[in-house]
Amino acid sequence: MKIAFISDIHGNAIALDAVLENLKRNLVDKVCVLGDLCYRGPEPKRSLDLIRSLDTDVIKGNADEWVVRGVREGEVPGKALELMNEERNWTVTRLDQEDLDYLQSLPTELKFEHGGISIYAYHATPESLFEVVLPDAADSDLEAKLMQKESSQLYVYAHIHKPYIRYINGKIIMNIGSVGLPFDGVAKASYGLVEIEDGNIRTSIQRVSFNQEKVVELYHHENYPNAEMMSGVIRNGKL
């Protein structure tokens, strides 16, 4: 059984196309989507439609919450608040009410078991869509923030756009990075692949190339409010 965890598409449908094609080539059996579907990219509607067409488990991320109700003071640096709401408003104009209702209705966690392996997935932490838990956090912090709510063998999250895999007390924590906006300096889409067979488990981070310059072209063609900065992220894989 091959299970792919994808997240943080952020309206980059070109990167999502590349990842979905990669999933087909890897003969993935199941796809789970961990949020942040359409905000901050040039193709919010197409990205959301692609995700919905998968007819699979999807949970909510902080950016999905922002699309629904706006970015609030204290959730981002003060100097970025006005611009990020401008980006949010641009995104909303590309969606319809059904899309907003869909984002509003998404659950915030995913729990299941396969082949004797229990899996617990969420966007940022089990208690928050917004809290940041970085790859270099102490084991004690990872346990306290990511592993306390549910007892599982594998914990999967997204949000930070920096993929990694850690092992603590015989359990696995995996951050799957970002399909649309990688922040770790590798300008390729990332996703997490979990392979389960006969009670054994193998985890890996997959990196997928996509047409960066086409994405940059779309930011400008669609008059995205923050096109220059977002184009730099796409080209360099970091803020």
Side-chain angles (χ1 to χ4, degrees):
M1 177 75 164
K2 291 184 178 181
I3 307 168
F5 290 87
I6 69 174
S7 188
D8 293 83
I9 294 95
H10 287 287
N12 185 346
I14 288 174
L16 180 57
D17 285 335
V19 166
L20 294 179
E21 180 60 32
N22 186 267
L23 298 184
K24 290 180 183 178
R25 290 200 301 271
N26 275 337
L27 302 178
V28 166
D29 301 293
K30 178 179 176 66
V31 181
C32 301
V33 186
L34 304 191
D36 282 8
L37 309 181
C38 57
Y39 170 60
R40 302 209 92 179
E43 295 187 277
K45 177 67 173 175
R46 190 163 82 86
S47 298
L48 189 55
D49 288 348
L50 281 169
I51 291 298
R52 295 182 70 176
S53 73
L54 297 175
D55 191 25
T56 192
D57 293 310
V58 183
I59 63 174
K60 183 185 290 187
N62 63 294
D64 306 311
E65 184 75 1
W66 282 339
V67 171
V68 171
R69 50 84 161 164
V71 186
R72 295 175 180 168
E73 189 173 352
E75 293 176 341
V76 298
K79 63 182 180 180
L81 182 62
E82 182 178 354
L83 177 57
M84 290 187 70
N85 269 314
E86 187 179 350
E87 293 179 67
R88 178 262 177 183
N89 294 338
W90 180 94
T91 301
V92 170
T93 64
R94 269 67 180 174
L95 304 176
D96 55 37
Q97 188 59 49
E98 183 184 0
D99 296 325
L100 299 177
D101 292 342
Y102 172 78
L103 294 175
Q104 174 66 39
S105 70
L106 290 173
T108 58
E109 61 183 7
L110 175 62
K111 296 177 284 186
F112 64 97
E113 181 176 320
H114 182 81
I117 304 296
S118 56
I119 300 172
Y120 183 37
Y122 36 84
H123 181 69
T125 75
E127 307 295 343
S128 171
L129 296 176
F130 298 91
E131 187 171 4
V132 172
V133 181
L134 294 173
D136 58 355
D139 284 2
S140 58
D141 286 339
L142 294 180
E143 289 183 289
K145 295 178 179 180
L146 303 180
M147 304 172 70
Q148 292 300 311
K149 185 177 178 182
E150 295 284 340
S151 178
S152 292
Q153 291 160 280
L154 171 62
Y155 298 82
V156 187
Y157 77 112
H159 187 52
I160 60 173
H161 299 214
K162 295 181 178 183
Y164 72 89
I165 300 172
R166 294 262 297 269
Y167 306 92
I168 300 176
N169 296 328
K171 299 186 175 186
I172 305 168
I173 295 176
M174 168 188 273
N175 186 285
I176 59 176
S178 172
V179 168
L181 290 174
F183 286 174
D184 64 346
V186 180
K188 298 179 185 293
S190 73
Y191 71 90
L193 184 63
V194 176
E195 300 174 76
I196 300 172
E197 184 176 3
D198 298 329
N200 300 316
I201 181 170
R202 179 166 62 246
T203 56
S204 60
I205 302 297
Q206 306 290 312
R207 304 304 294 243
V208 181
S209 298
F210 62 91
N211 190 333
Q212 300 166 2
E213 291 309 310
K214 182 62 176 177
V215 180
V216 169
E217 179 184 324
L218 282 173
Y219 272 117
H220 290 86
H221 181 267
E222 297 297 328
N223 295 314
Y224 190 80
N226 196 13
E228 284 302 324
M229 190 195 87
M230 302 309 296
S231 296
V233 176
I234 293 296
R235 286 172 168 148
N236 301 312
K238 59 183 178 180
L239 289 171

